[in-house]
Amino acid sequence: MMTVLGCIVYKHNIWLVIVALLICGTGSWVTARLVRRAFATRGVQRAGWQFLAATASAVAIWCTHFVAMLGFDPGVPVSFDPLLTFVSLVIALAGSLIGFAVACSGFTRAAPALGGALVGLAIALMHYTGMAAYHVEGLVTWSWPYLIASIALSVGFGALALDCAARRADGSVAVVAGLFATAIGTLHFTGMSAFQVEPMAVSGHFSDPAALQALALSVACMAFVIVGAGLVSYLLDDSVRAESLEHLRSMALSDMLTGMPNRAAFNERIDVEMARAEAEGGRLALIGIDLNRFKDVNDLRGHHAGDEVLRILARRFASLVREDEFVARVGGDEFVGILRFARREALDDFLLRLETALFRPIRYDDWEVLSGASLGVAIYPDDATTKTVLVNNADLAMYRAKADLTRSVCFYEPKMDETARARRTLAADLREALARGQLSVHYQVQTSVPSGEICGYEALLRWEHPRLGFVSPAVFIPLAEENGLILQIGAWVLREACMRAATWMPPYKVAVNLSPVQFVHADLPALVSEALAETGLPPARLELELTESTIFADRQRSLDVLQRIKALGVSLALDDFGTGYSSLDTLRSFPFDKIKLDQSFVSEAQSNRQATAIIRAVLALGKSLGIPVLAEGIETQDQLDLLAGEGCDEVQGFLLGRPAPLAQLVQSGKIRLAGEPQTQLAAAG
């Protein structure tokens, strides 16, 4: 075989043989890439890639054959049958299409190999159809062993090529292209070894070798153009996919509102920076940033203003960040900074620039806001050796900075963990206290200033801890709000106060405070209605107190909730008036029945003229709107006299009575319980 094959190659024009081999190799490589893409897609896209792969395959098969044949010199005149030549091209294209369709069908695990065998068979059919179109002036004979071997080699290597292409793990493009080129090459040269010509003495007609070579080069050029078009389409699709993936990745790692890196980008960056810090022996600072008073901006100016504040801060951060520095937005008004550093001066400089950006006034439309922020810093590996602990420690430091009004930046200290653990323990104790009935309600008297008579009592929650003793509501109420316990506690206090008040004689009012969390997450009208129905307390004897900040999150919903509560016959009091927004629009828009003046103004009334002026203004406002005003925190007779002189309606404070359990009020005779003998009153509560 090698002797005959060498003879066949010897009879070829060596340059056209090289061109044919280039067509075969290039076409096979493009076909391999296109067919791999066909295996990786579905539906219409798969059909499109199959067509492109079949076109490249047909060009590689047909042009390799005919360029090689045009360079072949049998020593006798030759010609080509146009119809059979065209048919051979159709066989190459149709066979490739069918083969690739079968290979990608997935109807059986052997489908890729079966499809490849069909492509190999198409190569053989195309070759021998092309040979039938090749007319020579001589006696043609065929060597059947070589002919059968050529078909077997083409079918075998074709099956291997597509089976390998389907197995992406081990089917590289180079391997697939090599197998496909081998299928084409072995078919041609083995098939040509089977082709034998015995020249006949014929006078007159001789083929023109120069014309045949020119035709061969033209075919080769067209082959390269078509194969190149297939390659370009693949590369363009690859480029578009890469751009799309990069765009999607950028979107996934960017905050939609500000364009800053988001939490996902932060998690990716901190992993990289911690690894680099460990490898280089450096240190990494993680800075937790939480804006101050950002909720006030949303409440007073609307969420569009809050969004604009965030965008302005994002632009400031983008202008200050340098190489090896990183700032991301990880939550509503929460940001985080990362700095890998060797000298402490670099960290101090970064923190100074962050503070400058955060504390510089922000102008928006016709107003100006000074938000500021609390920054907590934790350093790797000094404060933590894992990402989770580092993030937690930065949060602890940030919360400490938020609680300390004297500084905006706080570095992590180990004792912060002790504080956090203590808060977690206290939260668990509070949950247990609620389950075991260890919470209690005390009542503080509210008195009419003109008559001196009792108007009602405010229900105040108290907790006597088994080990710690009395725990201030200022400590455990925020803890309950953070842990979601406030919903259960608030519902219990409401029912407890209504149940006890239903037995009071005289039938005083009872005032119950509402938490902002409770107002947002609970169906208050239904809860109040159920409490009144269960306890039998007349709605007119229940007063609910809430602060102005409670209703600002969603004014329309708040108005609807309060109107539904008012429809039950329950009265509403605006608590801590003067310390929050103190908006006149709130008093005009919402159905409040009482204004409670904050105790801070009463305590400063005798030493601060501004406090006195505010008291007078609030009392005048109440009278003009027809809303009674109750002043809190009355501790001295002078304070009471001042308020009486200014026309205050009601007062509440230690001077008139400290908060006390119901049993103590009953024992003192301030309250009697309906239907119980006087001797049994001390057992109440």
Side-chain angles (χ1 to χ4, degrees):
M1 175 178 175
M2 291 303 297
T3 303
V4 178
L5 183 61
C7 182
I8 291 297
V9 172
Y10 175 75
K11 290 184 178 181
H12 278 77
N13 180 312
I14 188 63
W15 295 110
L16 290 183
V17 170
I18 293 174
V19 171
L21 291 176
L22 285 175
I23 294 173
C24 181
T26 304
S28 298
W29 183 76
V30 173
T31 300
R33 296 187 72 94
L34 294 173
V35 80
R36 283 284 295 272
R37 182 58 58 82
F39 276 114
T41 55
R42 292 288 183 273
V44 177
Q45 285 192 17
R46 168 171 283 188
W49 289 115
Q50 287 173 354
F51 177 78
L52 289 176
T55 302
S57 170
V59 168
I61 296 167
W62 191 84
C63 291
T64 297
H65 170 80
F66 272 91
V67 169
M69 288 305 301
L70 289 171
F72 177 66
D73 183 10
V76 296
V78 298
S79 62
F80 290 91
D81 183 298
L83 179 60
L84 287 177
T85 300
F86 177 75
V87 169
S88 67
L89 176 61
V90 172
I91 290 173
L93 180 60
S96 297
L97 273 172
I98 295 171
F100 292 145
V102 171
C104 295
S105 65
F107 71 92
T108 177
R109 293 183 63 181
L114 180 60
L118 290 175
V119 174
L121 185 61
I123 296 173
L125 288 174
M126 175 269 145
H127 175 82
Y128 289 110
T129 302
M131 292 302 297
Y134 187 70
H135 295 165
V136 296
E137 299 294 339
L139 183 63
V140 176
T141 60
W142 293 91
S143 172
W144 284 100
Y146 280 111
L147 188 148
I148 294 171
S150 68
I151 297 174
L153 288 171
S154 178
V155 170
F157 281 111
L160 284 175
L162 290 198
D163 186 66
C164 187
R167 304 178 190 277
R168 297 183 65 86
D170 56 2
S172 70
V173 172
V175 173
V176 175
L179 290 171
F180 195 73
T182 302
I184 298 173
T186 55
L187 182 285
H188 178 80
F189 287 105
T190 306
M192 291 303 294
S193 298
F195 180 72
Q196 299 175 6
V197 179
E198 183 71 28
M200 297 176 61
V202 179
S203 62
H205 176 71
F206 291 94
S207 58
D208 185 355
L212 294 178
Q213 291 177 11
L215 178 61
L217 291 176
S218 299
V219 171
C221 289
M222 288 306 300
F224 282 120
V225 169
I226 296 172
V227 170
L231 177 60
V232 168
S233 69
Y234 176 89
L235 294 177
L236 287 175
D237 178 75
D238 216 30
S239 175
V240 170
R241 289 182 65 204
E243 290 177 2
S244 298
L245 288 173
E246 182 60 29
H247 180 64
L248 290 174
R249 182 178 183 277
S250 177
M251 289 179 61
L253 297 178
S254 297
D255 175 57
M256 296 300 292
L257 176 64
T258 63
M260 295 182 66
N262 60 10
R263 184 179 292 276
F266 158 69
N267 286 325
E268 184 178 282
R269 181 63 176 261
I270 194 172
D271 289 336
V272 172
E273 293 295 344
M274 288 181 69
R276 291 181 64 184
E278 181 178 7
E280 299 172 6
R283 300 161 75 197
L284 179 72
L286 178 62
I287 305 153
I289 306 170
D290 188 76
L291 300 184
N292 299 333
R293 298 180 296 278
F294 182 72
K295 184 177 182 298
D296 294 352
V297 176
N298 280 331
D299 290 345
L300 291 174
R301 300 289 179 176
H303 288 282
H304 65 284
D307 291 346
E308 185 60 26
V309 167
L310 294 175
R311 293 189 191 97
I312 292 172
L313 288 176
R315 290 194 291 269
R316 291 182 182 179
F317 288 141
S319 65
L320 69 85
V321 170
R322 301 172 183 170
E323 188 177 359
D324 293 333
E325 296 175 352
F326 177 84
V327 179
R329 181 186 179 218
V330 295
D333 62 339
E334 297 178 9
F335 299 83
V336 66
I338 299 176
L339 174 67
R340 187 164 40 84
F341 66 100
R343 297 180 299 106
R344 178 59 181 267
E345 291 80 3
L347 175 57
D348 293 339
D349 176 65
F350 186 42
L351 290 172
L352 179 61
R353 285 183 279 120
L354 287 175
E355 284 188 274
T356 301
L358 290 163
F359 284 86
R360 196 163 77 239
I362 298 174
R363 293 198 60 82
Y364 175 63
D365 287 344
D366 60 343
W367 59 277
E368 184 176 272
V369 60
L370 179 61
S371 177
S374 300
L375 290 77
V377 185
I379 298 175
Y380 170 87
D382 302 7
D383 300 327
T385 56
T386 65
K387 179 175 74 173
T388 301
V389 177
L390 186 67
V391 171
N392 181 68
N393 291 346
D395 284 341
L396 290 175
M398 185 266 290
Y399 287 126
R400 173 64 62 86
K402 208 165 191 66
D404 189 345
L405 301 179
T406 63
R407 55 179 175 169
S408 57
V409 179
C410 185
F411 284 79
Y412 169 78
E413 298 173 2
K415 64 181 181 182
M416 293 178 183
D417 278 333
E418 300 174 8
T419 303
R421 281 194 296 270
R423 286 182 62 81
R424 287 194 293 269
T425 301
L426 193 62
D429 292 345
L430 180 59
R431 190 179 300 275
E432 185 177 349
L434 177 62
R436 295 188 176 186
Q438 296 175 355
L439 300 177
S440 62
V441 177
H442 288 200
Y443 300 88
Q444 186 173 31
V445 67
Q446 297 175 334
T447 305
S448 170
V449 175
S451 66
E453 296 179 354
I454 295 176
C455 301
Y457 287 86
E458 180 178 4
L460 300 169
L461 183 62
R462 294 293 182 262
W463 181 20
E464 190 75 20
H465 194 282
R467 291 180 294 100
L468 304 176
F470 174 76
V471 181
S472 170
V475 173
F476 74 81
I477 292 296
L479 198 61
E481 291 177 336
E482 292 174 11
N483 291 274
L485 288 174
I486 195 64
L487 298 179
Q488 300 176 55
I489 292 176
W492 176 80
V493 170
L494 178 62
R495 288 190 175 90
E496 175 71 11
C498 290
M499 181 179 65
R500 299 301 183 185
T503 66
W504 292 352
M505 292 295 292
Y508 299 125
K509 267 192 173 186
V510 63
V512 179
N513 288 281
L514 295 178
S515 162
V517 177
Q518 187 181 11
F519 191 83
V520 171
H521 294 286
D523 186 355
L524 276 179
L527 179 64
V528 173
S529 179
E530 290 172 8
L532 293 173
E534 290 174 7
T535 61
L537 180 71
R541 292 181 55 198
L542 176 61
E543 183 173 85
L544 298 179
E545 298 182 2
L546 64 155
T547 61
E548 194 172 2
S549 60
T550 302
I551 62 180
F552 260 101
D554 188 340
R555 289 177 61 89
Q556 188 56 47
R557 177 185 177 276
S558 299
L559 180 59
D560 177 65
V561 169
L562 294 182
Q563 287 175 339
R564 289 167 60 195
I565 292 175
K566 281 284 291 183
L568 297 174
V570 176
S571 59
L572 301 171
L574 182 58
D575 199 9
D576 297 336
F577 190 79
T579 59
Y581 308 108
S582 302
S583 169
L584 299 181
D585 182 62
T586 301
L587 294 175
R588 181 180 62 85
S589 303
F590 290 86
F592 288 108
D593 302 287
K594 184 184 293 184
I595 298 172
K596 296 192 71 175
L597 181 64
D598 189 72
Q599 61 183 355
S600 61
F601 299 104
V602 175
S603 62
E604 298 178 5
Q606 293 176 309
S607 60
N608 189 320
R609 291 184 177 180
Q610 291 180 338
T612 305
I614 291 174
I615 291 174
R616 289 173 179 163
V618 173
L619 293 174
L621 177 63
K623 290 186 184 303
S624 65
L625 295 175
I627 304 176
V629 177
L630 183 150
E632 300 179 289
I634 310 304
E635 298 184 356
T636 68
Q637 186 62 43
D638 290 340
Q639 293 172 347
L640 180 58
D641 293 340
L642 172 64
L643 290 166
E646 296 295 338
C648 184
D649 299 286
E650 299 175 15
V651 289
Q652 174 182 345
F654 289 172
L655 177 67
L656 305 164
R658 292 176 176 273
L662 181 58
Q664 184 177 326
L665 295 175
V666 171
Q667 189 175 19
S668 68
K670 294 181 178 179
I671 291 179
R672 291 184 297 107
L673 301 183
E676 295 190 9
Q678 188 68 26
T679 56
Q680 296 180 0
L681 295 182

